[in-house]
């Protein structure tokens, strides 16, 4: 009975938080925790994030994860959690109870990873390791792969913008795809399109596992694919060996995943 009451308080807290009634949401979260609701820590973290206390929100998730079984988290996650020390203004909400009653760590870890990426508190390699652990914990979770794809997509967009800005600043103009090899030699940075296969694969993996993010993932996947194709055939880029290798890697899996996405799209249209 207490668990059911706690879940009702959590739903009420979520509605109040989304409506902007933060004081009422906070009281509902306290009631949910007192009733033994297992996911009270998640709602409290989201509440803190919404009132722009990002450090406290991340610390809430961090403390919750630290109280979860070490063999579930893995050494990489534990190392990341230990290296990011954030002081909690108040005691966490029944974190030991939450870890016992909610064995699915993936949601907490995914939210924690997204937020530390957003706030820039970890290097990209650390973020990659955390996302990799999310995929290991829940290999059939569509949202997990969609968030991973968005992360790599952000890295790709940032690398492309940075490389094009460097070319423009040097007076060369926009980055010619056939000349990105010289950029790699000068700065030891790989051309932006080298990350393209990873981005497409992660979007495709998400589509393969569900269609909740279909109308975000599929258009972005197609945009990246066609844009790269147009770059590949212009200015002799097809004779660029590194780019040709990327093109082969992308083409190997693309159409198979694309037809799977079309099946999902057809089923969704029939459902509507």
């Amino acid at each position: 009975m207490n668990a059911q009451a706690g879940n009702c308080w959590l739903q009420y807290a979520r509605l109040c938080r989304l409506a902007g009634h933060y004081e009422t949401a906070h009281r509902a979260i306290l009631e949910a925790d007192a009733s033994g609701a297992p996911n009270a820590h998640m709602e409290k973290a989201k509440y803190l994030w919404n009132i722009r206390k990002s450090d406290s929100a991340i610390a809430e998730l961090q403390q919750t994860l630290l109280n979860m079984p070490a063999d579930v988290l893995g050494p990489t996650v534990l190392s990341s959690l230990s290296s990011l020390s954030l002081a909690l203004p108040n005691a966490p909400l029944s974190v030991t109870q939450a870890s016992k009653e909610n064995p699915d760590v993936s949601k907490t870890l995914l939210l924690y990873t997204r937020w530390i990426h957003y706030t820039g508190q970890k290097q990209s390699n650390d973020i990659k390791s955390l996302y990799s652990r999310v995929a290991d914990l829940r290999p059939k979770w569509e949202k997990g792969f969609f968030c991973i794809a968005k992360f790599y997509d952000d890295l790709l967009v940032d690398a492309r913008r940075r490389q094009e800005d460097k070319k423009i600043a040097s007076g060369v103009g926009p980055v010619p795809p056939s000349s990105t090899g010289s950029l790699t030699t000068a700065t030891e940075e790989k051309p932006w399109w080298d990350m393209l296969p990873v981005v497409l694969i992660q979007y495709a993996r998400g589509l393969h596992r569900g269609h909740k993010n279909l109308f975000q993932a599929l258009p972005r996947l197609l945009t990246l694919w066609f844009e790269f194709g147009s770059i590949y055939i212009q200015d002799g880029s097809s004779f660029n060996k590194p780019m040709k290798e990327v093109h082969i890697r992308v083409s190997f899996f693309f159409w198979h995943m694309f037809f799977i996405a079309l099946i999902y799209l057809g089923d969704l249209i029939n459902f509507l």
Side-chain angles (χ1 to χ4, degrees):
M1 186 67 182
N2 285 339
Q4 293 179 352
N7 288 330
C8 290
W9 278 114
L10 278 183
Q11 294 179 25
Y12 180 58
R14 179 178 179 273
L15 292 173
C16 291
R17 174 175 57 82
L18 294 176
H21 304 307
Y22 296 123
E23 292 185 6
T24 307
H26 186 229
R27 289 195 294 270
I29 292 169
L30 294 176
E31 292 287 350
D33 181 55
S35 301
N39 291 319
H41 66 281
M42 289 283 287
E43 187 58 39
K44 182 182 179 184
K46 292 177 181 178
Y47 156 76
L48 291 170
W49 184 268
N50 283 166
I51 62 175
R52 299 185 178 182
K53 293 184 177 180
S54 58
D55 284 348
S56 298
I58 293 172
E60 182 71 32
L61 297 180
Q62 180 189 22
Q63 189 65 45
T64 303
L65 289 169
L66 285 172
N67 282 273
M68 291 181 177
D71 57 337
V72 175
L73 293 176
T76 302
V77 177
L78 286 174
S79 176
S80 175
L81 291 170
S82 301
S83 63
L84 183 63
S85 179
L86 295 172
L88 282 174
N90 300 300
L93 291 175
S94 303
V95 290
T96 303
Q97 181 182 5
S99 64
K100 290 180 179 178
E101 297 183 6
N102 185 15
D104 187 5
V105 191
S106 55
K107 289 184 178 180
T108 304
L109 183 57
L110 177 64
L111 189 59
Y112 169 79
T113 305
R114 290 174 59 194
W115 284 354
I116 63 173
H117 171 228
Y118 181 83
T119 55
Q121 298 188 34
K122 286 287 183 179
Q123 298 294 325
S124 60
N125 288 336
D126 295 326
I127 304 295
K128 291 176 185 177
S129 299
L130 293 174
Y131 272 126
S132 177
R133 186 57 183 161
V134 170
D136 292 340
L137 288 170
R138 202 167 174 183
K140 296 183 179 180
W141 191 23
E142 178 198 0
K143 183 178 180 180
F145 285 103
F146 177 72
C147 291
I148 294 172
K150 291 284 290 180
F151 166 70
Y152 280 104
D153 198 353
D154 288 343
L155 294 182
L156 182 146
V157 171
D158 182 65
R160 183 176 186 180
R161 184 188 303 114
R162 184 171 59 252
Q163 292 173 16
E164 290 182 347
D165 288 346
K166 286 181 180 178
K167 283 291 184 179
I168 293 174
S170 63
V172 178
V175 178
S178 58
S179 66
T180 49
S182 59
L183 182 65
T184 306
T185 304
T187 64
E188 297 183 356
E189 181 182 19
K190 293 182 179 180
W192 61 267
W193 39 259
D194 189 73
M195 289 186 285
L196 186 65
V198 177
V199 178
L200 296 181
I201 287 172
Q202 298 301 333
Y203 275 126
R205 284 176 176 172
L207 289 170
H208 186 62
R209 287 158 175 80
H211 54 261
K212 289 184 178 179
N213 298 294
L214 176 66
F215 294 109
Q216 291 177 274
L218 184 57
R220 182 57 179 163
L221 187 150
L222 291 174
T223 298
L224 290 170
W225 167 256
F226 288 122
E227 188 177 41
F228 176 72
S230 64
I231 291 175
Y232 178 72
I233 62 175
Q234 72 181 13
D235 298 330
S237 296
S238 57
F239 298 101
N240 184 336
K241 185 177 179 180
M243 181 173 279
K244 191 171 184 178
E245 292 175 354
V246 171
H247 182 266
I248 293 173
R249 289 165 58 195
V250 170
S251 301
F252 180 75
F253 78 92
F254 177 78
W255 288 112
H256 174 67
M257 290 298 183
F258 176 64
F259 284 125
I260 291 176
L262 285 182
I263 292 173
Y264 276 120
L265 181 60
D267 291 343
L268 184 59
I269 291 175
N270 292 333
F271 175 77
L272 295 175

